């Protein structure tokens, strides 16, 4: 296998914009991409398609009733149409204090007619985002998702596509079942089994477990035993997974042991590099404290407040004397400093004394901070170029063997040495991308990029991208 980046063409033509948390699916040699987020906190409702034969993007201006702008929705292929369900949108500044929105609407896109249709359904689930979905015959099975902040679920909803009616499935309470989660991967094994991989239940609740849902007259959960857990991806809640034969394939940051066994090198692009959106650095704590102390409406300046704080510390703590200094010398030195202090300002009080001086200090501190960041980046880049222009990556191809998952309820992560060679990837960590299978190859698009050269610096290391990768050829393991 080889994961190669498809460079953006230099010719003037349509090209999809940067985005992450979008949804994608495959139909008739075309990858369809809908919605997603971009910076700064905007969501889309446009539809793009990537022709896998010509390697070109097209942005069709569809007719009909468009879906709302949203991300974290699901889009699946059903016969000759695409079904789009749920999603979430960023809060907007206008009207004021508008909260984030969650959706439960269902839309159908018909490629042959290039038209969106808002599909009315009965007994629909609550507004949901970050869920997973798949098609089983004439049913769409939806699992998990989030209904709002800190409100994830493990519900199973089934849409009868022909009847346009939803049903909430109940499983046996005494049986084990997955914890509430969102951002998981859902893979159809056959007409009676669905696999749920990973997910996230909230802050510090990232799951690497695997569950199988058995469908029939009585729906039942089975927790799958995972072998070779040392080869498990770093996290399984923000990455898509594709099924290739009896294997599941995903891309993730590798562990230290796996990086020693296999290195992935950056592919040199044949065209001039596209300018990336540079991450915004986070000011240091001391700079934030300085802003909070000076940009107030108090009649005291920052220098005066710092002086009173030091006086309070003197009254609370006893400063140790320097070697060879007596208490009398210390008192004399203190009296001398008091006499040399600047006289108190007379006349009408100012609203913000020394405001210009404080602002000048702020600018100087900010400039000094920016210079340190730039110097660190330049020195790091110079050292990288001196060693190797194709520096090592932290992203690896992870393969899960599911050949025994239905029979024995077990699966196994392959060791890196068992994965076919010549696998290549961009040198950055990728998150919230889409990964679909089509025409014997897997296509990965968009997401958030993490630059490994800046991770140790503590600055904002994420950037939204619209890069396109193709994992080809796919071979049956």
């Amino acid at each position: 296998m080889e994961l190669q980046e498809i460079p953006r063409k230099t010719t003037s033509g349509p090209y999809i914009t940067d985005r992450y948390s979008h949804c994608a699916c495959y139909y008739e040699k075309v990858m369809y991409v809908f919605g997603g987020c971009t910076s700064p906190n905007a969501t889309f409702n446009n539809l793009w398609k990537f022709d896998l034969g010509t390697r070109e993007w097209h942005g069709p201006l569809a007719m009909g009733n468009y879906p709302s702008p949203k991300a974290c929705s699901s889009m699946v292929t059903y016969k000759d149409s695409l079904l789009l369900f749920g999603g979430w949108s960023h809060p907007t500044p206008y009207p004021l204090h508008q909260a984030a929105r969650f959706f439960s609407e269902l839309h159908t896109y018909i490629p042959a007619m290039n038209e969106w249709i808002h599909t009315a359904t009965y007994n629909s689930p609550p507004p949901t985002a970050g869920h997973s979905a798949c098609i089983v015959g004439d049913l769409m099975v939806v699992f998990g998702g989030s209904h709002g902040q800190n409100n994830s679920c493990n519900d199973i909803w089934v849409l009868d596509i022909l009847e346009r009616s939803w049903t909430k499935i109940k499983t046996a309470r005494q049986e084990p079942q997955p914890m509430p989660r969102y951002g998981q991967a859902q893979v159809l094994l056959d007409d009676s089994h669905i696999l749920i991989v990973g997910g996230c239940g909230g802050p510090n609740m990232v799951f690497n477990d695997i569950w199988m849902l058995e469908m029939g007259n009585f729906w039942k959960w089975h927790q799958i035993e995972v072998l070779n857990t040392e080869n498990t991806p770093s996290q399984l809640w923000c990455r898509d997974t594709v099924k290739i034969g009896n294997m599941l394939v995903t891309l993730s940051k590798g562990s230290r042991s796996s990086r020693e066994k296999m290195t992935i090198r950056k592919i040199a692009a044949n065209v001039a590099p596209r300018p990336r959106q540079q991450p915004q650095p986070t000011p240091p704590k001391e700079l934030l404290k300085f802003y909070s102390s000076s940009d107030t409406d108090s009649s005291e300046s920052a220098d005066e407040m710092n002086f009173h704080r030091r006086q309070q510390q003197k009254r609370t703590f006893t400063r140790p004397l320097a070697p060879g200094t007596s208490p009398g010398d210390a008192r004399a030195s203190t009296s001398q400093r008091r006499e040399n202090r600047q006289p108190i300002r007379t006349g009408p009080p100012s609203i913000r004394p020394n405001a210009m001086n404080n602002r000048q200090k702020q600018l100087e501190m900010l400039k000094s901070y920016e210079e340190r960041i730039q110097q660190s980046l330049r020195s790091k880049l110079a050292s990288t170029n001196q060693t190797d222009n194709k520096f090592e990556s932290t992203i690896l191809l992870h393969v899960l063997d599911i050949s025994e998952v239905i029979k024995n309820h077990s699966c196994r992560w392959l060791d890196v040495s068992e994965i076919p060679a010549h696998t290549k990837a961009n040198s950055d960590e990728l998150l919230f991308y889409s990964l679909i299978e089509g025409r014997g190859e897997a296509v990965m698009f968009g997401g958030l990029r993490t630059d490994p050269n800046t991770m140790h610096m503590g600055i904002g290391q994420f950037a939204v991208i619209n890069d396109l990768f193709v994992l080809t050829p796919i071979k049956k393991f």
Side-chain angles (χ1 to χ4, degrees):
M1 289 188 185
E2 187 173 8
L3 184 66
Q4 294 184 342
E5 181 177 2
I6 299 179
R8 179 175 179 175
K9 292 187 176 181
T10 56
T11 58
S12 59
Y15 203 90
I16 189 170
T17 53
D18 304 342
R19 64 190 65 203
Y20 66 97
S21 293
H22 50 280
C23 56
C25 65
Y26 173 80
Y27 174 74
E28 291 292 332
K29 303 179 182 179
V30 173
M31 178 182 69
Y32 288 87
V33 176
F34 173 82
C37 301
T38 190
S39 182
N41 297 336
T43 47
F44 298 113
N45 70 337
N46 54 0
L47 181 73
W48 283 82
K49 61 181 184 179
F50 179 73
D51 192 313
L52 298 181
T54 62
R55 299 296 204 237
E56 292 180 346
W57 285 101
H58 302 279
L61 298 177
M63 302 178 294
N65 193 341
Y66 268 73
S68 303
K70 54 188 176 180
C72 298
S73 53
S74 63
M75 186 167 61
V76 293
T77 304
Y78 172 70
K79 296 182 178 179
D80 58 351
S81 60
L82 312 180
L83 300 182
L84 178 70
F85 171 71
W88 163 88
S89 67
H90 277 287
T92 58
Y94 301 101
L96 295 176
H97 308 297
Q98 180 177 349
R101 295 182 60 192
F102 286 72
F103 300 92
S104 61
E105 57 187 15
L106 177 70
H107 282 80
T108 302
Y109 176 75
I110 305 176
M113 301 175 59
N114 191 26
E115 181 179 6
W116 282 107
I117 299 175
H118 180 263
T119 306
T121 58
Y122 303 97
N123 191 31
S124 61
T128 306
H131 54 281
S132 55
C134 65
I135 295 293
V136 184
D138 293 324
L139 305 177
M140 181 173 72
V141 181
V142 175
F143 169 74
S146 174
H147 305 317
Q149 185 176 8
N150 299 326
N151 186 15
S152 55
C153 71
N154 59 354
D155 298 336
I156 305 170
W157 286 86
V158 175
L159 171 67
D160 189 320
I161 302 174
L162 301 179
E163 298 293 334
R164 300 182 180 180
S165 177
W166 289 93
T167 302
K168 185 176 181 180
I169 303 298
K170 295 183 179 180
T171 58
R173 292 183 177 273
Q174 64 273 17
E175 298 293 338
Q177 55 184 346
M179 295 287 291
R181 65 191 63 198
Y182 55 88
Q184 68 280 348
Q186 181 169 326
V187 180
L188 179 65
L189 300 178
D190 56 26
D191 292 340
S192 302
H193 299 88
I194 294 176
L195 206 62
I196 303 297
V197 182
C200 180
N204 301 321
M205 292 182 64
V206 177
F207 301 116
N208 288 329
D209 53 354
I210 298 177
W211 293 80
M212 184 176 66
L213 178 62
E214 182 179 354
M215 300 174 286
N217 295 331
F218 299 97
W219 294 47
K220 185 178 180 180
W221 284 108
H222 300 279
Q223 186 168 9
I224 304 302
E225 180 185 8
V226 182
L227 305 177
N228 287 359
T229 55
E230 63 273 10
N231 295 308
T232 304
S234 58
Q235 51 184 328
L236 283 172
W237 76 277
C238 54
R239 297 174 172 88
D240 277 348
T241 301
V242 294
K243 181 176 180 291
I244 305 172
N246 291 325
M247 302 289 170
L248 293 186
V249 176
T250 188
L251 292 158
S252 175
K253 180 179 179 180
S255 61
R256 177 175 299 179
S257 60
S258 61
R259 286 199 299 269
E260 293 174 354
K261 298 176 183 178
M262 177 180 180
T263 59
I264 301 178
R265 296 181 177 274
K266 185 176 183 180
I267 298 176
N270 297 325
V271 296
R274 203 163 30 88
R276 284 186 191 172
Q277 178 183 359
Q278 295 297 329
Q280 297 298 325
T282 303
K285 294 182 179 180
E286 59 268 22
L287 187 60
L288 295 177
K289 292 180 180 180
F290 190 84
Y291 276 122
S292 61
S293 63
S294 60
D295 292 341
T296 60
D297 294 332
S298 174
S299 59
E300 290 185 324
S301 65
D303 295 336
E304 292 172 337
M305 287 189 290
N306 291 333
F307 170 76
H308 292 308
R309 189 180 298 110
R310 289 194 299 269
Q311 294 300 314
Q312 179 66 28
Q313 293 174 353
K314 290 180 180 179
R315 289 190 293 268
T316 306
F317 304 99
T318 302
R319 184 184 300 272
L321 298 178
T325 305
S326 64
D329 296 336
R331 287 193 295 270
S333 177
T334 303
S335 301
Q336 185 177 2
R337 286 198 302 269
R338 290 177 179 176
E339 293 175 358
N340 295 333
R341 188 186 305 166
Q342 295 294 333
I344 299 177
R345 175 181 173 177
T346 60
S350 172
I351 297 178
R352 295 180 60 185
N354 299 326
M356 294 302 297
N357 293 336
N358 294 334
R359 178 61 61 184
Q360 184 64 28
K361 292 180 180 179
Q362 295 169 11
L363 295 176
E364 292 176 357
M365 292 179 65
L366 182 59
K367 183 178 179 181
S368 175
Y369 171 69
E370 291 176 347
E371 290 178 351
R372 292 199 304 268
I373 291 294
Q374 294 297 330
Q375 180 62 29
S376 299
L377 291 174
R378 286 192 295 267
S379 60
K380 180 63 179 179
L381 182 60
S383 61
T384 302
N385 293 335
Q386 289 176 1
T387 55
D388 191 357
N389 290 331
K390 299 178 179 180
F391 47 84
E392 291 187 358
S393 169
T394 59
I395 189 172
L396 293 177
L397 179 68
H398 291 267
V399 179
L400 179 68
D401 185 351
I402 57 174
S403 57
E404 300 292 330
V405 69
I406 297 179
K407 181 179 179 180
N408 298 326
H409 297 170
S410 66
C411 60
R412 180 176 69 95
W413 287 104
L414 297 186
D415 188 82
V416 177
S417 60
E418 303 179 57
I419 301 174
H422 308 298
T423 302
K424 299 180 180 180
N426 191 283
S427 60
D428 300 337
E429 175 81 80
L430 297 177
L431 311 168
F432 297 104
Y433 56 80
S434 61
L435 182 65
I436 61 101
E437 179 190 2
R439 294 193 63 191
E441 58 189 9
V443 183
M444 182 174 64
F445 166 74
L448 292 177
R449 184 190 299 281
T450 303
D451 188 354
N453 289 334
T454 60
M455 291 180 65
H456 68 285
M457 298 180 185
I459 66 176
Q461 63 266 28
F462 297 108
V464 186
I465 64 172
N466 62 349
D467 296 343
L468 188 69
F469 297 86
V470 172
L471 181 62
T472 182
I474 286 182
K475 299 179 181 179
K476 302 299 182 181
F477 291 89

